[in-house]
Amino acid sequence: MPHAGTESSPLTTTDPEAVVPVDEVPVERELTEHVPADTVRVEPVRVEPVRVEEVRVLDGPNLYFARPTIKVILHVPGYLALKRTDAEALARRLGMRSARPGKRGTALRQRFVMRVIRTLTRRVGTEIGAGRLGVRVRAGQTVDDVVLAFPWVHRTRGRVAGEQVGAVMAGLLDRSRRADEVIEEAAAVILAAPDGPGPSVITPTVPVASVTGTNGKTTTTRLMAHMCMSAGLTTAWSSTDGVVVMGETKEEGDFSGPAGARGVLETPGLDIGILETARGGMLLKGMGVTANDVSVVTNVSADHLGLQGIDTLDQLAEVKAIVTTVTKPQGWVVLNGDDPRVWAMRFGIKAKPWAFSLDPASPALWESINSGGRGITVLDGEIVVLSPNGDPDRLVKIVDVPMTLSGLSRNNIANALAGAAAALGLGVPRSAVIEGLRSFAPDPEHNWGRLNTYSLPLPSGGKATIIMDMAHNEAGLEALLEVARGLAAPGGAVRLGLGCAGDRADDAIIAMGEIAGRGAEEVALKIARHYLRGREPEDLLGLFREGLAKVGVLDVPGHDTELAALEALVPHALHGDVIALMCHAERAEVDGWIRAHGGKVDDARSIRRKVVAARGEHELEAEIAALWETSDEQTRLASAQELVDGHPGDPRLVFELAGVKDAMGDEQGAIGLYEEALAGGLREPHRHRAQLQLASSLRVVGRTAEAQDLVADVLEARPHNTAALMLRALVQADLGQERQAVADLIRATLEATTDVDTQAYRRALRAYADELAPAGD
């Protein structure tokens, strides 16, 4: 409650000694460890029908005002229980015109009480000389609760004012007391209170970006910092992993709240600051800065619902939007145009909009551009910036952006778009943004714990892929499984280590079980004891199993650690499988175990090779296609040999070289290469083709019995393969089994054809076949 026209407001809060221990306050981890909740639990007032549940000091921009605010939660059952006539009399005492209190205990009565609170709070402000006070009132979580908010300048007096609103509400229930008397008494208490300190929120002196959203905050923050450092700027950033200066961690822990902002902005010689801004900090302390130059909202999805009065996605979106309301008018607000709740935030901003979208035809892009803003999207496989005038500015191909996993991770494509737009909005040179996109990799060095991908040798032979990721909610799990499926070899399985923090709603945990059961061939449950947050381990595992059972997945084992879950999954893995581990507490232990067992971090080329292989293709598919378009045999042979020499041990390229020799009539040279490709682990759809081509070459050189065995192997797996059936007939003819060959071809044709005439003569044709060679011979 600022005093009219002066910095010395008479309203502030009680002294810091009155703050309760943080374990008595429902705060999230990012604040309990580093930012003491500036909250006082007030003892019940004497008139029990009114109780001040909480007085909270918000130092920075918040859900109610873009400045320091006192938030008060009032429990007012006495007002909900008033007779209608008594409520109307109270309204008259306060000078409230046309008041309609509604029936007892109703939402309409709650709205009446909200009006009462707004009226008397403003009257208290007038009484202490604060002029026309800004007051916001909202419905609480129950019909008996109301939330009040008003600005403050001095902490102690502001908190006392919050407490005295409760005293006024209680006093007004005494019909023997005049309203003016009650308000004057409260004003005297407020004026007698010491000022106390002012707000601790920082006004930045360097360019600052605030990044928020449900998923992708940390990745986008790190990417932007990487771009800034690529430009040679002294850069510091804060996130859920700590405060980092130029890549060196200064403080570990969750610093996605105001303490992180302070740690970043106090860095000596700072050129630019990037602040991951979680919803917990904004709700419990307010933002850590008074304003920013760029704000980013990645997305809004279900996470931590049911905590701190945020029960719906719309409420969560309102909290995330706080960062956009304090962006400077000359700055940029980077919004996800594919998320309706995020894109709707444009209506509350003073800055220019910058929409990002995976869809180049998105209406959000055009709306942003037409309103004087910009857009960024993927056009013809390239990241491009769209502006009101001029052609699209092509930055880089998606396949050359490692964090997208060769375009496999849609979430990280969106994060790349958001990060590039925000960095450009901060004034980072275009060349540094491009260099940052090309060099920021999904590895432990650049993006620790987010889609870190490894190749692990298996005792049974071959290799499996391990993905370690911080996926912690339904959207994150779905994204992880999408990536895992995209990295699995054709026919390969996805095996999942499933777990989350205990402060998720029951429905959310059950939903994650369902998602896991549908998306993975094997699931192992794991517990992160540091993140149980009040839940019993068996309760958490039971909810996951309930979700898994809904999709028919039963008897899922539970493990006491994340590493134990990984160790349980690895022995079941086969070559080409993917093990996806939701890892929150034991990233270092998991990384160490993988390396100790011969695992290596995948580089961008290795990831691209896996993505292409998962599609049944080869990373050099274009070069292979060009090979066969060459009409000159010697040129084709030289090109094929060059591919093999450049990628030794690649079975697909060996297979193509064998085919080249085969086409030139060099069956002897081709045979050894076909055998080498098959022994090297050539996978489908090329494996059975190599077997048939090998059989054909063996037949030509007179090794007919070996050819017959190979064809039989193919037909056992593919009984209706036409090429194999024909080749079998030729082999049978070579062996003097002409009648058997004709009979087998007739039978195969009868099974495969849908021709009407053939169907009409089916019985007769089958009889001819049996006459040539009885079935089973």
Side-chain angles (χ1 to χ4, degrees):
M1 267 188 190
H3 190 282
T6 177
E7 283 287 310
S8 58
S9 163
L11 288 188
T12 42
T13 52
T14 44
D15 53 57
E17 287 74 24
V19 176
V20 213
V22 293
D23 59 357
E24 295 180 21
V25 182
V27 296
E28 295 188 53
R29 177 175 170 262
E30 66 253 31
L31 292 173
T32 58
E33 293 188 1
H34 301 285
V35 186
D38 200 346
T39 302
V40 60
R41 293 288 182 178
V42 182
E43 291 297 322
V45 294
R46 292 184 178 180
V47 182
E48 188 57 27
V50 174
R51 185 169 68 247
V52 179
E53 294 280 14
E54 177 183 276
V55 176
R56 180 173 292 279
V57 179
L58 303 174
D59 271 286
N62 53 79
L63 192 58
Y64 312 99
F65 294 98
R67 56 180 300 178
T69 300
I70 298 295
K71 171 192 170 185
V72 184
I73 299 178
L74 292 161
H75 186 61
V76 289
Y79 281 80
L80 271 292
L82 278 177
K83 293 179 181 179
R84 187 197 300 264
T85 54
D86 290 339
E88 291 170 344
L90 174 63
R92 288 192 296 272
R93 288 163 63 200
L94 291 173
M96 294 167 53
R97 298 179 180 180
S98 305
R100 295 181 180 178
K103 294 181 180 180
R104 297 179 181 182
T106 63
L108 182 59
R109 173 61 66 85
Q110 184 187 43
R111 292 302 191 275
F112 165 76
V113 178
M114 291 164 62
R115 185 180 171 191
V116 169
I117 292 173
R118 184 184 300 111
T119 299
L120 69 87
T121 303
R122 283 179 174 155
R123 286 188 58 178
V124 169
T126 301
E127 187 68 26
I128 62 174
R132 184 166 178 81
L133 184 66
V135 178
R136 301 279 167 83
V137 183
R138 293 188 175 209
Q141 288 188 283
T142 71
V143 74
D144 288 337
D145 295 324
V146 175
V147 179
L148 163 69
F150 54 84
W152 65 276
V153 172
H154 297 289
R155 186 176 308 267
T156 306
R157 192 165 287 165
R159 185 181 292 147
V160 171
E163 297 165 7
Q164 286 304 306
V165 172
V168 171
M169 290 291 291
L172 289 176
L173 287 177
D174 184 349
R175 285 178 291 180
S176 67
R177 301 188 66 188
R178 293 184 303 105
D180 288 348
E181 175 191 348
V182 174
I183 292 170
E184 289 168 3
E185 184 178 292
V189 174
I190 296 168
L191 290 170
D195 285 349
S200 61
V201 63
I202 298 174
T203 298
T205 57
V206 299
V208 165
S210 301
V211 182
T212 194
T214 302
N215 294 304
K217 297 187 297 295
T218 301
T219 295
T220 303
T221 296
R222 290 170 173 170
L223 172 63
M224 291 171 60
H226 182 71
M227 292 171 173
C228 294
M229 289 189 293
S230 296
L233 299 169
T234 301
T235 308
W237 65 97
S238 59
S239 72
T240 51
D241 280 339
V243 175
V244 185
V245 178
M246 295 299 289
E248 181 181 349
T249 301
K250 296 300 183 180
E251 289 191 78
E252 291 187 354
D254 193 332
F255 280 90
S256 57
R262 182 168 295 279
V264 166
L265 295 176
E266 289 178 348
T267 300
L270 185 69
D271 291 322
I272 209 156
I274 306 187
L275 312 175
E276 179 178 336
T277 309
R279 74 89 175 258
M282 290 188 283
L283 284 171
L284 300 173
K285 292 289 290 182
M287 284 183 62
V289 292
T290 57
N292 55 53
D293 299 88
V294 172
S295 56
V296 182
V297 186
T298 58
N299 47 63
V300 175
S301 62
D303 192 38
H304 289 299
L305 296 182
L307 296 178
Q308 293 137 357
I310 304 303
D311 300 310
T312 69
L313 284 175
D314 290 332
Q315 291 172 335
L316 182 60
E318 187 184 20
V319 176
K320 301 292 186 184
I322 294 170
V323 301
T324 70
T325 63
V326 296
T327 305
K328 298 174 183 176
Q330 66 273 25
W332 292 95
V333 174
V334 180
L335 297 174
N336 186 343
D338 296 331
D339 187 322
R341 289 184 175 87
V342 175
W343 183 232
M345 296 176 189
R346 69 195 184 278
F347 294 116
I349 66 176
K350 301 181 182 68
K352 295 167 289 186
W354 194 324
F356 67 93
S357 173
L358 300 181
D359 177 9
S362 169
L365 294 173
W366 304 116
E367 185 178 348
S368 182
I369 293 167
N370 291 336
S371 62
R374 293 182 187 173
I376 188 167
T377 187
V378 179
L379 195 63
D380 297 329
E382 293 180 301
I383 294 178
V384 299
V385 174
L386 308 174
S387 54
N389 300 305
D391 295 326
D393 181 12
R394 300 158 58 188
L395 299 183
V396 63
K397 292 181 179 179
I398 283 292
V399 295
D400 294 330
V401 180
M403 66 180 286
T404 71
L405 284 78
S406 294
L408 181 62
S409 173
R410 289 174 56 84
N411 280 23
N412 269 353
I413 295 175
N415 293 336
L417 296 177
L424 291 169
L426 282 170
V428 177
R430 178 180 181 277
S431 58
V433 172
I434 294 173
E435 171 58 26
L437 288 169
R438 290 181 180 275
S439 56
F440 185 81
D443 58 26
E445 177 185 352
H446 293 93
N447 204 17
W448 178 228
R450 273 75 177 175
L451 291 180
N452 299 158
T453 306
Y454 305 77
S455 291
L456 178 72
L458 298 172
S460 58
K463 294 181 179 180
T465 297
I466 296 178
I467 308 172
M468 180 173 67
D469 188 66
M470 276 283 289
H472 58 282
N473 51 34
E474 297 104 303
L477 175 56
E478 287 176 333
L480 173 59
L481 288 170
E482 179 184 25
V483 169
R485 187 61 63 191
L487 289 175
V494 172
R495 307 178 190 278
L496 174 68
L498 174 64
C500 72
D503 57 356
R504 268 57 181 177
D506 289 2
D507 289 347
I509 299 171
I510 293 170
M512 279 190 273
E514 291 187 62
I515 293 167
R518 287 193 301 266
E521 280 74 23
E522 180 184 7
V523 178
L525 298 175
K526 57 89 177 178
I527 296 170
R529 293 193 175 275
H530 184 69
Y531 291 92
L532 285 173
R533 295 176 180 169
R535 275 198 192 269
E536 291 298 323
E538 286 306 315
D539 177 36
L540 188 62
L541 296 180
L543 291 170
F544 278 125
R545 290 187 175 115
E546 183 178 340
L548 287 159
K550 286 187 175 184
V551 291
V553 180
L554 306 174
D555 302 322
V556 179
H559 301 276
D560 202 44
T561 66
E562 292 169 341
L563 180 57
L566 174 64
E567 291 176 318
L569 291 169
V570 168
H572 302 164
L574 302 175
H575 179 66
D577 285 0
V578 174
I579 300 172
L581 183 65
M582 299 171 71
C583 193
H584 309 112
E586 300 173 48
R587 284 176 283 173
E589 292 84 350
V590 167
D591 176 82
W593 187 94
I594 294 171
R595 295 174 189 268
H597 287 77
K600 295 183 178 179
V601 177
D602 287 337
D603 58 18
R605 181 176 175 181
S606 299
I607 292 172
R608 174 160 174 72
R609 186 181 299 121
K610 290 180 179 181
V611 171
V612 173
R615 299 172 185 157
E617 301 172 358
H618 192 279
E619 63 174 328
L620 299 177
E621 205 70 46
E623 288 85 345
I624 294 171
L627 181 77
W628 290 102
E629 291 172 1
T630 304
S631 57
D632 184 76
E633 289 185 339
Q634 291 301 321
T635 301
R636 182 187 298 159
L637 177 63
S639 298
Q641 188 65 59
E642 185 178 346
L643 288 176
V644 170
D645 293 343
H647 301 79
D650 188 316
R652 170 70 188 284
L653 299 179
V654 173
F655 164 68
E656 298 297 340
L657 177 60
V660 170
K661 288 181 174 288
D662 207 347
M664 295 175 66
D666 182 7
E667 284 82 6
Q668 288 289 2
I671 288 172
L673 291 170
Y674 284 134
E675 291 174 336
E676 180 184 342
L678 290 167
L682 181 66
R683 301 184 68 85
E684 297 295 357
H686 303 287
R687 186 172 185 82
H688 76 277
R689 297 172 188 170
Q691 290 174 301
L692 291 177
Q693 289 180 229
L694 174 58
S696 177
S697 296
L698 289 171
R699 172 180 171 269
V700 171
V701 301
R703 296 163 62 179
T704 311
E706 295 174 65
Q708 186 177 39
D709 291 341
L710 273 171
V711 174
D713 289 343
V714 173
L715 285 171
E716 183 177 355
R718 291 173 167 77
H720 303 300
N721 186 289
T722 303
L725 290 168
M726 291 181 176
L727 184 55
R728 181 178 66 179
L730 291 173
V731 171
Q732 288 170 331
D734 291 341
L735 295 173
Q737 302 169 3
E738 292 88 348
R739 295 173 64 85
Q740 182 70 53
V742 174
D744 286 348
L745 280 176
I746 291 174
R747 294 187 183 106
T749 301
L750 288 174
E751 289 184 17
T753 188
T754 58
D755 178 70
V756 175
D757 290 337
T758 305
Q759 295 294 336
Y761 295 105
R762 175 179 291 276
R763 182 175 298 178
L765 289 170
R766 193 178 297 279
Y768 292 153
D770 289 342
E771 181 181 335
L772 288 168
D777 284 1

